[in-house]
Each structure stands twice: as structure tokens, then as C-alpha cells.
Amino acid sequence: MQVPGPFEYDRATSVDQAIGLLERRGETARLIAGGHSLLPMMKLRLADVEYLIDINDLHDELGYVLVESDRVRLGALTRHRELLESDELAAVLPIFRDAERVIADPVVRNRGTIGGSLCQADPSEDLSAVCSCLDAECVIRGSTGQRVVPMAEFHRGPYETAVGDGEMLVEVRVPRHPDSSSAFEKVERRAGDWAVVSAAAVVTMAGGVIADARVGFAAVGPHTVVIPAVSELLRGEAPGEQLYERAGAAAAEHCDPTTDMRGTAAYKRHLVQELTRRTLRRAVQRISDGGS
Amino acid sequence: MQVTMTVNGTEVTREVEPRLLLVHFLRDHLGLTGTHWGCDTSNCGTCVVWMDGEPVKSCTVLAAMASGHEVRTVEGLAHEDGTLDPIQQGFMRCHGLQCGFCTPGMMMTTRALLDRDPHPSESDIREAISGQICRCTGYATIVRSVRWAAEHPDGAVPAAEEEPAAAEPATEPAATEAAQPVPTGSAS
Ligand SMILES: Cc1cc2nc3c(=O)[nH]c(=O)nc-3n(C[C@H](O)[C@H](O)[C@H](O)COP(=O)(O)OP(=O)(O)OC[C@H]3O[C@@H](n4cnc5c(N)ncnc54)[C@H](O)[C@@H]3O)c2cc1C
Ligand code: FES
Ligand code: FES
């Protein structure tokens, strides 16, 4: 039986109060949201926490999906299941439903949050790949105010983020573009498992050609990555199978997978190539189907 | 620290360490050993209980986090008069269990599924239990048990009214099913 090491526990009653508690205890304090990454780590003694601040009571304040004309705002405590079930979100950013269907299992999705997923900064985290690909922004709040950090700067390395001591992630903002759509695909060894490789694609069309496109991956490097070479290759081109093929080859060339228990580096490169093709194809199809 | 929660309709208060997991609180402090515990990685799902009506893995929730909430375990699944929940009846009739280790978690998850969706498809049922591992039955009979419960939302008719042929329901589930009126609109 594995149990976490001893710690003190408090419950936050508001975001400001949580930040006050975090500030007072500095680096010995940790927030707990869904707990589905942190508690297993504490049980395995991979995380050593002296002071745990439970933010689940802030769900009213931080659990929301707000679709605005030019962006979508997601509260940090929005649970996987809420993202999965939001029809409004699926209508404008179908990539979230694609991804949430294959993240963990329904019982884990009842608890895990988007904030916890991004702050965990696990290189295999599917939502991190999604948010990187969408060029999302993270709103980080501290006692002196809030700052907005783009996803590209949010992850500093595995399990390391831009959130400082005395700060918390409160919101994720995703820009919306007209004539744009997105898709997500994942290969896993069994239902509810972490990705062998997962891929996210976002495409914007203009006048029959690709105006902008990004593909991002989880589990192929030290953090979730967007591959700029693929965006360059796609920009200005008319979509089609041959283009997706070339994009897949470029993605496979520029990613950095390692051989581990989930598969060899060569197999993961093969998956990167194939999943790039599938996600691009689906995102473009969704634009021509008239969805956003 | 002191935790207070409602477990199966009864309020309980205990002094616990903050690091105590809900699964151990239920088993060791309240003696509710129906909730099993089978892994340390949140993977097996045998510890599933409800918190505020939703299934959660109680090995990945602190007792402290459950304080102030309503928890329901497998001991609280049967009706107050002792009648088994249709899910429990389904597992009995359709061989949904062998060793029974995964069964409490499976029943809590699938009861919650039926509460949300009274007519789930086979793939809905498989999706609902995808976070749960059974080492014995191979899932086919679990799925059949849940389907039985969906088709019998009020459970079986009392034994006295049943056909003699249904007296051994576990061996002849088909005969029992045939004797029951199938509610309209059930999953096809
Ligand atoms: C069996 C299982 C399977 C899984 N499979 C997958 C999978 O296939 N794909 C996948 O992507 N994920 C998977 N996960 C992870 C799951 O999605 C987690 O819920 C998620 O990674 C963490 O979210 P959480 O809310 O539980 O975070 P927690 O565990 O509560 O927190 C994680 C970290 O983030 C910090 N944190 C949390 N919220 C904030 C905040 N607002 N501001 C600052 N810091 C914060 C915490 O201090 C902690 O360091 C799986 C988990 C399990 C248990
Ligand atoms: S004991 Fe909780 S998931 Fe295995
Ligand atoms: S009945 Fe034995 S593990 Fe499922």
C-alpha cells in the first residue's frame, strides 16, 4: 500500500485566497485540482509536498467554457468531462472533443482538469499538445496581478512551467479564426492509456489554399511540440493527399522521439507521419463541411 | 484534521491524517470493505465510489477532499428495504462476476451510467467501464449484466411471481429474460 508522505492540507475559498496561501508558503506549497497526476506522484514519492492547497471549491469560479466571437476562454478548473460534453466547444474547436474522447477513462475524466493537465507539463499530456497547436495563451495570476503567457513559453521542460511560486493558472485562452478547423488523433496501446504518439492539427484556409497550419504532438520529445517546418511547408499550398504526405514526412523528420516501453523511436516516427496526414485531412475536411 | 462526510446517507466524522486516501478511510475507518483497492496507479477502477453522484476512483481522492461531500459505496447500492438494485440483480443473473474483486467498482460505474442514460448501447457500456479491469470474466458477461439491468429498470419480479423455470436464473438467463416484459424503447 502506497501512501503519500505527510503534509498539511488547506482548502481555498477563492482564487485570491489560494494565491495568498501559496505566497505565504512559497515553494513548499502545491495546489491540487483533480489530483489525478499529483496524487499518484505523491504516492510514488516522486512529488514531495509539505503543504497542499485544494482548489476544488473554486470550480464555480474557475470551471467554465466561454465561447466568444474571437476566442474561447476555458477556466483552469474545467474538468475533462466538461470539455468533452460541451457542444458549444465542439462546434468551434472540434479538436477538444476528439482529444477528450481518448484521454484517460470516464472516471478519471470526472476529476482531471485542463489546468492540472497543462501545469503537470508531462510530455505525453494530450491537452498540452492540443493547446500548443492552437497557440493558446495561459493566464497566470499572482498577488500583484495577472500575466498572459503563450503556450510556446508556458512549458519550460518536463514537469516545469512558467507558473512561479505564489502564482496559479486561472484561464486558458484559445484564439478563433474564420475558415479554420482542427482535429486530433492518438495511438495508444489500450483504452485509456497514455499516447504512444498523439497528434493535433489546426488549419486555416483562405481562397482555396492553406493560409496557416500547425501540427503538434505529444510523447515525441521533452515537451509537446509544434513543428514549424510543417507549417512552412503547408502555407500557401492547396490541400490534398500529396501535400499531407509531404507534411507527414517533414514532421517525422523533425520530431525527437525516444525508444521506450511504448514503442521504438522508428515506430513513433512512423506514427507521427501517419497521424499528421490523418489530422490534416480531417481538419481540412471539416472546413469544407462548413464547420469551423 | 477532522473530516465530515455523508456516506450512504449517514453523516460520519473522524479525525484523520490529511494524507489518508478516501479508499482507506472507507475501508479502515468505516469498515466498508466492499470498496476494493487493487493498484496504486489509478488504473484498475476497483475502488470506484460516488462523490456527489459521480463515479470517482477513491484511491486518487484524499479523505480530506471528500469532506463536506456525499459519498456512496457499494454497500449503499441496494434499496433501503434490502431489495437489490437492478444492476446487482443483473450481475447475479448474467454471470457478471466470478471472483467478485472488480464487481463493486463495476456496479457503481454502471449504475451511474444507467442513471444518466437508461438505454446505453453496448459500446456506451464498454466505454463506461474502460477505466476498470476485470481479470476474470472477460467483460462480455459484465456488459450483458448491465444490459439486463437496463431492460429491467425495476429489477426482477418478486420470486413468488416468477415462473418455476426462472428459479435458477443464473443458468438460464435467456428464459428469465423471455419471461419479463421488455420495456419499450430499450437499447436495440
Ligand atoms: C489512469 C490515468 C490515465 C490517464 N491517461 C491520460 C491520457 O491518456 N492522456 C492525458 O493527457 N492525460 C492522462 N491522464 C492524466 C489526467 O488527464 C490528469 O487528470 C491530468 O494530467 C492532471 O489534471 P488534474 O486536474 O488531475 O491535476 P492535479 O493532479 O491536481 O495537478 C497536477 C499538477 O498541476 C498543478 N496544478 C493543478 N492546477 C493548477 C493551477 N490551476 N495552477 C497551477 N498549478 C496547478 C498541481 O500542483 C500539480 O503539480 C491520466 C491519468 C490517470 C490517473
Ligand atoms: S485502486 Fe483505485 S484505481 Fe486501482
Ligand atoms: S470478477 Fe474477478 S476481477 Fe472481475
Side-chain angles (χ1 to χ4, degrees):
Chain A
M1 158 165 138
Q2 285 173 319
V3 290
F7 54 82
E8 286 173 64
Y9 169 94
D10 247 325
R11 259 189 208 191
T13 50
S14 70
V15 171
D16 289 336
Q17 191 235 3
I19 289 167
L21 294 173
L22 280 171
E23 252 190 341
R24 211 168 320 137
R25 297 295 292 255
E27 62 176 18
T28 62
R30 277 280 194 107
L31 297 177
I32 186 162
H36 274 58
S37 291
L38 186 55
L39 276 175
M41 283 180 66
M42 287 167 67
K43 282 195 266 182
L44 296 167
R45 308 284 172 121
L46 293 171
D48 185 21
V49 177
E50 286 178 27
Y51 183 58
L52 198 61
I53 304 163
D54 183 350
I55 54 173
N56 280 282
D57 286 354
L58 310 188
H59 184 263
D60 285 349
E61 200 175 342
L62 292 183
Y64 53 83
V65 174
L66 295 174
V67 177
E68 299 175 351
S69 59
D70 58 343
R71 65 181 181 184
V72 176
R73 292 163 54 201
L74 305 168
L77 226 78
T78 311
R79 305 209 189 264
H80 289 303
R81 177 170 149 194
E82 294 169 315
L83 294 172
L84 175 67
E85 291 181 352
S86 168
D87 291 335
E88 227 190 336
L89 181 62
V92 298
L93 293 167
I95 191 169
F96 276 100
R97 184 165 286 173
D98 287 353
E100 288 294 358
R101 272 188 223 276
V102 289
I103 290 177
D105 60 68
V107 185
V108 170
R109 293 199 293 261
N110 278 343
R111 298 290 297 166
T113 65
I114 183 169
S117 293
L118 300 192
C119 291
Q120 179 66 13
D122 186 314
S124 306
E125 198 78 53
D126 294 309
L127 278 189
S128 296
V130 168
C131 292
S132 298
C133 195
L134 289 168
D135 211 8
E137 291 177 328
C138 299
V139 183
I140 300 172
R141 199 188 296 177
S143 59
T144 53
Q146 66 184 35
R147 61 203 176 95
V148 180
V149 175
M151 266 310 281
E153 291 162 29
F154 186 73
H155 288 153
R156 298 269 165 88
Y159 311 106
E160 215 189 312
T161 70
V163 182
D165 293 340
E167 287 187 324
M168 70 184 278
L169 175 68
V170 290
E171 186 176 277
V172 179
R173 291 180 183 160
V174 182
R176 287 182 62 190
H177 302 287
D179 293 317
S180 171
S181 195
S182 52
F184 184 88
E185 289 257 1
K186 171 173 171 177
V187 170
E188 57 204 345
R189 291 175 308 170
R190 59 174 182 83
D193 199 3
W194 294 86
V196 180
V197 170
S198 61
V202 180
V203 179
T204 305
M205 299 285 291
V209 297
I210 293 173
D212 194 19
R214 295 162 63 89
V215 291
F217 302 92
V220 296
H223 32 74
T224 57
V225 282
V226 171
I227 297 184
V230 178
S231 303
E232 279 161 36
L233 186 150
L234 292 167
R235 209 167 289 131
E237 300 286 329
E241 284 303 321
Q242 280 181 348
L243 185 67
Y244 306 152
E245 176 96 37
R246 279 169 44 217
E253 190 188 328
H254 286 90
C255 67
D256 187 20
T258 49
T259 295
D260 60 20
M261 63 179 187
R262 292 202 157 78
T264 62
Y267 174 53
K268 292 180 189 179
R269 271 187 213 282
H270 165 75
L271 292 179
V272 163
Q273 165 146 27
E274 179 58 30
L275 296 185
T276 300
R277 282 158 49 172
R278 287 190 205 167
T279 49
L280 285 172
R281 189 187 294 140
R282 179 121 60 99
V284 170
Q285 185 64 41
R286 281 174 169 161
I287 300 171
S288 51
D289 288 348
S292 59
Chain B
M1 67 178 290
Q2 203 176 61
V3 296
T4 298
M5 66 186 86
T6 306
V7 180
N8 300 330
T10 306
E11 192 174 284
V12 295
T13 299
R14 293 287 188 280
E15 193 63 36
V16 303
E17 268 194 273
R19 60 172 164 167
L20 184 74
L21 299 169
L22 179 59
V23 63
H24 300 313
F25 179 72
L26 295 170
R27 290 176 57 87
D28 303 343
H29 291 245
L30 303 184
L32 294 171
T33 53
T35 301
H36 293 163
W37 158 72
C39 72
D40 282 306
T41 52
S42 321
N43 270 291
C44 75
T46 190
C47 64
V48 169
V49 301
W50 293 354
M51 214 165 104
D52 302 329
E54 290 300 337
V56 300
K57 294 186 178 178
S58 63
C59 71
T60 318
V61 175
L62 297 167
M65 294 171 84
S67 189
H69 294 270
E70 201 198 314
V71 172
R72 191 162 287 264
T73 70
V74 70
E75 287 89 348
L77 193 54
H79 301 174
E80 268 175 18
D81 65 1
T83 315
L84 294 181
D85 186 276
I87 281 281
Q88 293 170 305
Q89 296 179 18
F91 271 71
M92 279 173 65
R93 285 170 176 256
C94 303
H95 283 291
L97 69 158
Q98 286 189 33
C99 79
F101 191 73
C102 71
T103 311
M106 289 287 184
M107 294 199 300
M108 296 312 284
T109 305
T110 52
R111 176 72 265 167
L113 169 72
L114 293 191
D115 286 350
R116 278 163 64 86
D117 176 5
H119 307 297
S121 67
E122 165 144 353
S123 66
D124 293 337
I125 298 170
R126 288 185 180 271
E127 163 72 11
I129 59 171
S130 61
Q132 286 167 292
I133 294 172
C134 176
R135 286 287 179 237
C136 300
T137 74
Y139 306 101
T141 52
I142 294 174
V143 173
R144 208 173 297 151
S145 305
V146 179
R147 286 224 315 260
W148 186 93
E151 286 159 14
H152 300 81
D154 301 320
V157 292
E161 294 168 33
E162 274 189 290
E163 297 284 315
E168 288 286 311
T171 54
E172 298 225 350
T176 315
E177 276 167 21
Q180 305 296 326
V182 177
T184 50
S186 63
S188 52

